[in-house]
Amino acid sequence: MSGEILFSTDGDIATLTLSNPEKLNAIDSAMWVALREAFERIAASPALRCVVLRGAGDKAFAAGGDIEEFLTVRATVDDALHYHDTLVAAALDAIRACAIPTVAAIQGACVGGGLEIAGCCDLRIAGESARFGAPINRLGFSMYPGEMAGLLDLVGPAVLLEILLEGRILDAREALQKGLLTRVVDDEKVLDEARASAARIVAGAPLVARWHKQWVHRLMRGNALSGEEKRAAFDFLATDDYKEGLEAFFAKRKPVFKGR
């Protein structure tokens, strides 16, 4: 029986749940496809302003890919390329490319593919007992380059090599110190803190959140901004939300942003 990606909304906040509880939410082929499709739907939904991504239950965010299916889905090089490019890397790319902010709520094991998923989110909030790593060197296979991108952008080559070469499992505090996490909270407060983070995000102007993500990703490419890009950085001047933000500031009231 395969796992599933559960989807729910609460106002303008979407929640995606990685659900494969019999295998600590290990991600199987069908779940990778469903995860990509879910993020593509979310990206095309103008009413949504934030995504919270979590694992079912409190034992694991996701304990990697479903190793039991590797003997079939990665039996040959062609099979492996299809699995990692068309299924896994495509899902991770969809998370990174999602225009609206993403918050990972991490409880328990966050290993292998689970760590890759969390690394593609914008914010990562974990419980004290959460654990992180990618001990695949003990299984005799390497992380596919297309799946390293999010972690490499997040922690840089030194920490990523430490994770991959040693295959060591990090506790939440060490993961925070190494830059894998945004914050660590008590285990029982993870979901509440993730929802509070999402609420703070959606209280801001939604177009501004999208622009902040866009410009951070653009600046990470390293090359200088063009004149056209510099002018585009002031697109907010023509928005109703900019006018609303200033009016609310001067009137000392809470702004009501419409995303336009």
Side-chain angles (χ1 to χ4, degrees):
M1 179 175 171
S2 66
E4 55 186 338
I5 305 297
L6 306 178
F7 173 84
S8 64
T9 59
D10 181 7
D12 43 18
I13 299 173
T15 298
L16 289 180
T17 302
L18 310 171
S19 180
N20 194 358
E22 293 183 1
K23 297 183 177 181
L24 293 177
N25 301 325
I27 314 298
D28 59 35
S29 298
M31 291 173 70
W32 286 117
V33 173
L35 186 60
R36 173 184 56 79
E37 292 174 344
F39 268 97
E40 288 174 348
R41 290 198 305 271
I42 288 168
S45 302
L48 296 176
R49 298 188 182 183
C50 189
V51 183
V52 174
L53 186 58
R54 57 166 299 187
D58 59 5
K59 302 299 183 184
F61 178 77
D66 186 351
I67 295 174
E68 289 186 11
E69 68 174 10
F70 283 2
L71 292 177
T72 55
V73 300
R74 300 196 318 187
T76 68
V77 171
D78 286 340
D79 289 341
L81 282 170
H82 171 77
Y83 174 80
H84 287 283
D85 269 340
T86 306
L87 305 186
V88 182
L92 299 177
D93 287 344
I95 299 172
R96 283 198 298 270
C98 184
I100 68 176
T102 53
V103 180
I106 304 168
Q107 296 172 290
C110 182
V111 176
L115 184 63
E116 294 170 3
I117 291 170
C120 290
C121 293
D122 300 314
L123 304 179
R124 287 155 301 284
I125 298 170
E128 287 278 2
S129 66
R131 296 293 181 268
F132 304 84
I136 55 178
N137 59 341
R138 302 172 198 171
L139 296 172
F141 64 87
S142 59
M143 184 177 288
Y144 185 57
E147 296 165 25
M148 290 185 187
L151 292 173
L152 185 60
D153 286 345
L154 181 63
V155 298
V159 173
L160 180 55
L161 282 171
E162 178 185 6
I163 290 170
L164 295 176
L165 294 178
E166 292 189 351
R168 187 164 58 89
I169 299 299
L170 313 180
D171 63 28
R173 288 296 169 183
E174 185 175 5
L176 177 66
Q177 182 268 328
K178 292 184 183 299
L180 280 168
L181 298 176
T182 304
R183 68 183 68 101
V184 175
V185 300
D186 293 341
D187 288 337
E188 65 273 16
K189 296 179 179 178
V190 171
L191 295 178
D192 287 341
E193 180 59 27
R195 294 180 182 119
S197 177
R200 290 189 286 270
I201 290 169
V202 302
L207 290 176
V208 170
R210 290 170 179 255
W211 279 322
H212 280 152
K213 285 194 63 169
Q214 169 192 315
W215 288 117
V216 167
H217 291 169
R218 168 61 183 86
L219 290 170
M220 288 179 69
R221 300 207 313 252
N223 53 310
L225 296 177
S226 67
E228 183 178 352
E229 286 176 316
K230 291 177 181 179
R231 295 186 67 85
F234 296 98
D235 284 349
F236 64 82
L237 290 171
T239 66
D240 292 340
D241 279 354
Y242 176 60
K243 179 181 178 182
E244 167 64 12
L246 291 183
E247 289 180 353
F249 175 82
F250 290 120
K252 295 181 170 55
R253 61 172 175 81
K254 184 178 178 179
V256 179
F257 295 118
K258 303 293 187 181
R260 59 177 184 263

